[in-house]
Amino acid sequence: MFDKVVIVGVGLIGGSFALGLKAAGAVRNVVGLERSSTALARARALGIVDQASTDPEQALQGADLVLLAAPVAQTETVLRQLAPWLEPHTIVTDAGSTKSDVVASARAALGEKIGQFVPGHPIAGRESNGPDAALPDLFRGKKTVLAPLPENPPAMVERVAAAWTLCGAVIHRLGAEEHDRVFAAVSHLPHLLAYALVDDIANKAHADLLFQYAASGFRDFTRIAGSSPEMWRDISLANREAILGELDAYLAQLVNIRARLAAADGPALEAVYGNAQRARRAWIEAIEAMEPTATAESGK
């Protein structure tokens, strides 16, 4: 499928994309382009990349596909560095968790080459970071959202979709603004809440005692607070307006629950808990029902 793929940012997502393509036998040469020489050396040692480079001109020569897997705040800077060396056939995509800001950055950086940029977002991750966290099957059965631009040639969009499909992902499509509204609710707000809770506990005078008795429920709820603070700082700021809207709605829910608790209103609390349980159960059942289809589609 690909003679040369360039990964900008050889951490969890970029590294897993490279390993996924390699496992599928779909790429001849993977080049890592990274600001950190340590990360590049580690990615090379782990077999994630075949070549390591800090020079965009050298790395992009003859590239079929470039994946930008760097923090979203760096998008415009990185794309400006890549733009002069993009060959007409080279496709650039990204793995950012926000899309409206990424699209704006890409338009500013790429100008008339914007048609070569296909925005994307793989819905997968781990609490670990860096090349050592990369897995060849990280995306298997997981959704990858593409947010194509009007300027994108359909063949380029399909080429990006094919790359993610080869990694085992199931392709979905959303507009950039719709994407950001959706993920503010189901991804960005949960991360904010997990970070806030752990930070609150850590700042208490008896934090050591609290963490001593924190068990599986606390671990499960706060798992995502182990994610990259730099990355989630950028995501929070990039999707600020949508997250603020979701946060305000959540605060209103907390105020409502607090009032019910203060009033010792057991039936009202149970109603909230019951509705949440039913909604979660329905969501899990829907996921389980889709798993055979997802596996079949990702194997195409």
Side-chain angles (χ1 to χ4, degrees):
M1 280 290 295
F2 300 97
D3 186 57
K4 182 177 182 179
V5 171
V6 177
I7 308 294
V8 183
V10 291
L12 170 64
I13 298 300
S16 295
F17 183 74
L19 291 175
L21 289 178
K22 286 190 169 193
V27 59
R28 186 186 67 81
N29 184 29
V30 177
V31 178
L33 181 61
E34 173 69 68
R35 63 182 179 178
S36 168
S37 58
T38 301
L40 278 175
R42 186 60 181 156
R44 184 81 180 270
L46 292 169
I48 293 172
V49 301
D50 304 302
Q51 295 176 265
S53 179
T54 57
D55 180 3
E57 180 181 8
Q58 179 187 53
L60 266 62
Q61 187 173 1
D64 299 311
L65 179 66
V66 178
L67 173 68
L68 178 56
V72 291
Q74 298 176 18
T75 299
E76 184 172 345
T77 298
V78 173
L79 288 178
R80 286 191 183 279
Q81 293 170 348
L82 302 183
W85 318 114
L86 287 180
E87 298 176 5
H89 77 285
T90 304
I91 308 167
V92 183
T93 189
D94 80 302
S97 295
T98 55
K99 293 274 73 79
S100 297
D101 63 310
V102 164
V103 170
S105 294
R107 290 190 182 282
L110 298 179
E112 62 183 15
K113 296 182 179 181
I114 187 62
Q116 294 176 245
F117 180 76
V118 180
H121 176 202
I123 316 305
R126 303 174 67 193
E127 60 269 29
S128 303
N129 304 300
D132 287 278
L135 298 170
D137 60 351
L138 181 68
F139 307 113
R140 184 155 301 280
K142 304 298 197 317
K143 298 179 181 68
T144 287
V145 177
L146 299 185
L149 305 176
E151 296 91 342
N152 291 146
M156 285 193 170
V157 177
E158 292 308 315
R159 196 111 159 98
V160 173
W164 286 111
T165 300
L166 285 163
C167 291
V170 181
I171 304 301
H172 289 245
R173 302 192 187 198
L174 292 172
E177 291 184 2
E178 183 181 18
H179 168 280
D180 290 352
R181 289 194 299 270
V182 167
F183 285 93
V186 299
S187 176
H188 305 164
L189 178 64
H191 277 81
L192 183 152
L193 299 178
Y195 282 121
L197 177 59
V198 177
D199 183 63
D200 179 60
I201 296 292
N203 287 324
K204 292 183 184 296
H206 57 314
D208 290 346
L209 179 65
L210 296 177
F211 282 122
Q212 179 182 345
Y213 289 99
S216 59
F218 184 85
R219 182 177 63 247
D220 292 345
F221 183 81
T222 62
R223 176 187 61 82
I224 52 180
S227 302
S228 165
E230 179 187 16
M231 179 179 74
W232 281 99
R233 174 204 64 199
D234 291 349
I235 291 170
S236 298
L237 294 174
N239 204 22
R240 182 175 67 255
E241 293 304 320
I243 296 173
L244 284 172
E246 294 298 330
L247 183 58
D248 287 343
Y250 190 78
L251 287 170
Q253 173 74 319
L254 289 179
V255 169
N256 175 60
I257 290 176
R258 187 189 188 286
R260 300 295 178 264
L261 183 61
D265 189 344
L269 288 173
E270 185 177 355
V272 173
Y273 298 166
N275 183 56
Q277 182 194 55
R278 288 188 296 273
R280 188 180 189 281
R281 184 176 293 155
W283 168 60
I284 295 296
E285 290 174 352
I287 291 175
E288 292 174 346
M290 291 175 61
E291 281 181 350
T293 301
T295 301
E297 287 184 5
S298 67
K300 288 182 180 178

Short mmCIF file of all heavy atoms in Angstrom, two decimals, residues 143-169:
data_model
loop_
_atom_site.label_atom_id
_atom_site.label_comp_id
_atom_site.label_asym_id
_atom_site.label_seq_id
_atom_site.Cartn_x
_atom_site.Cartn_y
_atom_site.Cartn_z
N LYS A 143 -12.74 2.91 16.64
CA LYS A 143 -13.16 3.88 15.64
C LYS A 143 -12.01 4.84 15.32
O LYS A 143 -11.24 5.23 16.20
CB LYS A 143 -14.35 4.70 16.13
CG LYS A 143 -15.62 3.90 16.41
CD LYS A 143 -16.72 4.81 16.91
CE LYS A 143 -17.99 4.05 17.21
NZ LYS A 143 -17.85 3.14 18.38
N THR A 144 -11.93 5.22 14.06
CA THR A 144 -11.12 6.36 13.64
C THR A 144 -12.03 7.30 12.89
O THR A 144 -12.69 6.89 11.93
CB THR A 144 -9.94 5.95 12.76
OG1 THR A 144 -8.94 5.30 13.57
CG2 THR A 144 -9.29 7.16 12.10
N VAL A 145 -12.11 8.54 13.34
CA VAL A 145 -12.97 9.53 12.70
C VAL A 145 -12.16 10.34 11.70
O VAL A 145 -11.09 10.86 12.03
CB VAL A 145 -13.59 10.48 13.75
CG1 VAL A 145 -14.42 11.56 13.06
CG2 VAL A 145 -14.44 9.69 14.74
N LEU A 146 -12.65 10.43 10.48
CA LEU A 146 -12.08 11.33 9.47
C LEU A 146 -13.02 12.52 9.30
O LEU A 146 -14.24 12.36 9.35
CB LEU A 146 -11.89 10.60 8.13
CG LEU A 146 -10.95 9.39 8.13
CD1 LEU A 146 -10.79 8.86 6.71
CD2 LEU A 146 -9.59 9.73 8.73
N ALA A 147 -12.44 13.69 9.13
CA ALA A 147 -13.21 14.91 8.92
C ALA A 147 -12.74 15.57 7.63
O ALA A 147 -12.06 16.61 7.67
CB ALA A 147 -13.05 15.86 10.11
N PRO A 148 -13.05 14.98 6.48
CA PRO A 148 -12.51 15.47 5.20
C PRO A 148 -12.88 16.92 4.92
O PRO A 148 -13.93 17.41 5.34
CB PRO A 148 -13.16 14.53 4.17
CG PRO A 148 -13.56 13.31 4.94
CD PRO A 148 -13.93 13.81 6.31
N LEU A 149 -11.99 17.58 4.20
CA LEU A 149 -12.19 18.96 3.79
C LEU A 149 -12.77 19.00 2.38
O LEU A 149 -12.56 18.07 1.59
CB LEU A 149 -10.87 19.71 3.81
CG LEU A 149 -10.10 19.69 5.13
CD1 LEU A 149 -8.76 20.40 4.97
CD2 LEU A 149 -10.92 20.31 6.24
N PRO A 150 -13.48 20.08 2.02
CA PRO A 150 -14.00 20.19 0.65
C PRO A 150 -12.89 20.11 -0.40
O PRO A 150 -13.13 19.66 -1.53
CB PRO A 150 -14.65 21.58 0.64
CG PRO A 150 -14.96 21.87 2.07
CD PRO A 150 -13.88 21.21 2.87
N GLU A 151 -11.69 20.53 -0.05
CA GLU A 151 -10.58 20.53 -1.01
C GLU A 151 -9.92 19.15 -1.18
O GLU A 151 -9.09 18.98 -2.08
CB GLU A 151 -9.50 21.51 -0.55
CG GLU A 151 -9.95 22.97 -0.52
CD GLU A 151 -10.53 23.38 0.82
OE1 GLU A 151 -10.91 22.50 1.62
OE2 GLU A 151 -10.61 24.61 1.06
N ASN A 152 -10.24 18.20 -0.33
CA ASN A 152 -9.59 16.90 -0.41
C ASN A 152 -10.06 16.10 -1.62
O ASN A 152 -11.26 15.85 -1.77
CB ASN A 152 -9.91 16.05 0.84
CG ASN A 152 -9.28 16.56 2.11
OD1 ASN A 152 -9.86 16.44 3.18
ND2 ASN A 152 -8.08 17.11 2.03
N PRO A 153 -9.15 15.65 -2.49
CA PRO A 153 -9.54 14.70 -3.54
C PRO A 153 -10.05 13.42 -2.88
O PRO A 153 -9.44 12.92 -1.93
CB PRO A 153 -8.23 14.46 -4.30
CG PRO A 153 -7.37 15.64 -3.99
CD PRO A 153 -7.72 16.03 -2.58
N PRO A 154 -11.17 12.87 -3.35
CA PRO A 154 -11.70 11.65 -2.74
C PRO A 154 -10.68 10.52 -2.65
O PRO A 154 -10.68 9.77 -1.67
CB PRO A 154 -12.86 11.28 -3.68
CG PRO A 154 -13.32 12.59 -4.24
CD PRO A 154 -12.06 13.39 -4.41
N ALA A 155 -9.80 10.41 -3.63
CA ALA A 155 -8.81 9.33 -3.62
C ALA A 155 -7.86 9.47 -2.43
O ALA A 155 -7.43 8.46 -1.85
CB ALA A 155 -8.02 9.32 -4.92
N MET A 156 -7.53 10.72 -2.05
CA MET A 156 -6.65 10.92 -0.91
C MET A 156 -7.35 10.55 0.39
O MET A 156 -6.75 9.95 1.29
CB MET A 156 -6.15 12.36 -0.86
CG MET A 156 -5.08 12.69 -1.89
SD MET A 156 -4.27 14.28 -1.56
CE MET A 156 -2.90 14.20 -2.74
N VAL A 157 -8.63 10.89 0.50
CA VAL A 157 -9.40 10.53 1.69
C VAL A 157 -9.46 9.01 1.82
O VAL A 157 -9.27 8.45 2.90
CB VAL A 157 -10.82 11.12 1.64
CG1 VAL A 157 -11.63 10.68 2.86
CG2 VAL A 157 -10.76 12.64 1.57
N GLU A 158 -9.72 8.34 0.71
CA GLU A 158 -9.81 6.87 0.75
C GLU A 158 -8.46 6.23 1.07
O GLU A 158 -8.40 5.18 1.70
CB GLU A 158 -10.33 6.35 -0.59
CG GLU A 158 -11.78 6.72 -0.86
CD GLU A 158 -12.71 6.35 0.29
OE1 GLU A 158 -12.58 5.21 0.82
OE2 GLU A 158 -13.54 7.18 0.68
N ARG A 159 -7.40 6.87 0.67
CA ARG A 159 -6.07 6.35 0.97
C ARG A 159 -5.79 6.42 2.48
O ARG A 159 -5.25 5.50 3.07
CB ARG A 159 -5.02 7.18 0.22
CG ARG A 159 -3.65 6.53 0.14
CD ARG A 159 -3.35 6.13 -1.28
NE ARG A 159 -1.91 5.98 -1.48
CZ ARG A 159 -1.27 4.80 -1.43
NH1 ARG A 159 -1.93 3.70 -1.16
NH2 ARG A 159 0.03 4.73 -1.66
N VAL A 160 -6.19 7.53 3.11
CA VAL A 160 -6.04 7.66 4.56
C VAL A 160 -6.93 6.64 5.27
O VAL A 160 -6.51 5.98 6.22
CB VAL A 160 -6.37 9.09 5.02
CG1 VAL A 160 -6.39 9.18 6.55
CG2 VAL A 160 -5.37 10.09 4.46
N ALA A 161 -8.17 6.52 4.79
CA ALA A 161 -9.08 5.53 5.39
C ALA A 161 -8.51 4.13 5.28
O ALA A 161 -8.59 3.33 6.22
CB ALA A 161 -10.44 5.61 4.70
N ALA A 162 -7.90 3.82 4.15
CA ALA A 162 -7.31 2.49 3.95
C ALA A 162 -6.17 2.24 4.93
O ALA A 162 -6.02 1.13 5.46
CB ALA A 162 -6.80 2.35 2.52
N ALA A 163 -5.36 3.27 5.20
CA ALA A 163 -4.24 3.11 6.14
C ALA A 163 -4.75 2.75 7.52
O ALA A 163 -4.25 1.83 8.17
CB ALA A 163 -3.41 4.39 6.18
N TRP A 164 -5.77 3.47 7.99
CA TRP A 164 -6.32 3.17 9.31
C TRP A 164 -7.01 1.81 9.33
O TRP A 164 -6.93 1.08 10.33
CB TRP A 164 -7.29 4.27 9.74
CG TRP A 164 -6.59 5.54 10.16
CD1 TRP A 164 -6.60 6.74 9.51
CD2 TRP A 164 -5.77 5.73 11.31
NE1 TRP A 164 -5.84 7.65 10.18
CE2 TRP A 164 -5.33 7.07 11.30
CE3 TRP A 164 -5.37 4.89 12.36
CZ2 TRP A 164 -4.50 7.60 12.29
CZ3 TRP A 164 -4.55 5.40 13.36
CH2 TRP A 164 -4.12 6.74 13.31
N THR A 165 -7.68 1.46 8.24
CA THR A 165 -8.33 0.16 8.17
C THR A 165 -7.30 -0.97 8.24
O THR A 165 -7.53 -2.00 8.88
CB THR A 165 -9.16 0.04 6.86
OG1 THR A 165 -10.14 1.08 6.84
CG2 THR A 165 -9.87 -1.30 6.78
N LEU A 166 -6.16 -0.77 7.60
CA LEU A 166 -5.09 -1.77 7.68
C LEU A 166 -4.58 -1.94 9.11
O LEU A 166 -4.10 -3.01 9.48
CB LEU A 166 -3.94 -1.36 6.75
CG LEU A 166 -4.20 -1.57 5.26
CD1 LEU A 166 -3.22 -0.76 4.42
CD2 LEU A 166 -4.11 -3.06 4.91
N CYS A 167 -4.71 -0.89 9.92
CA CYS A 167 -4.33 -0.97 11.33
C CYS A 167 -5.44 -1.59 12.18
O CYS A 167 -5.28 -1.74 13.40
CB CYS A 167 -4.00 0.42 11.88
SG CYS A 167 -2.49 1.14 11.20
N GLY A 168 -6.55 -1.93 11.55
CA GLY A 168 -7.64 -2.58 12.25
C GLY A 168 -8.77 -1.66 12.66
O GLY A 168 -9.73 -2.09 13.29
N ALA A 169 -8.68 -0.37 12.32
CA ALA A 169 -9.68 0.60 12.76
C ALA A 169 -10.94 0.53 11.91
O ALA A 169 -10.92 0.05 10.76
CB ALA A 169 -9.10 2.01 12.72
#
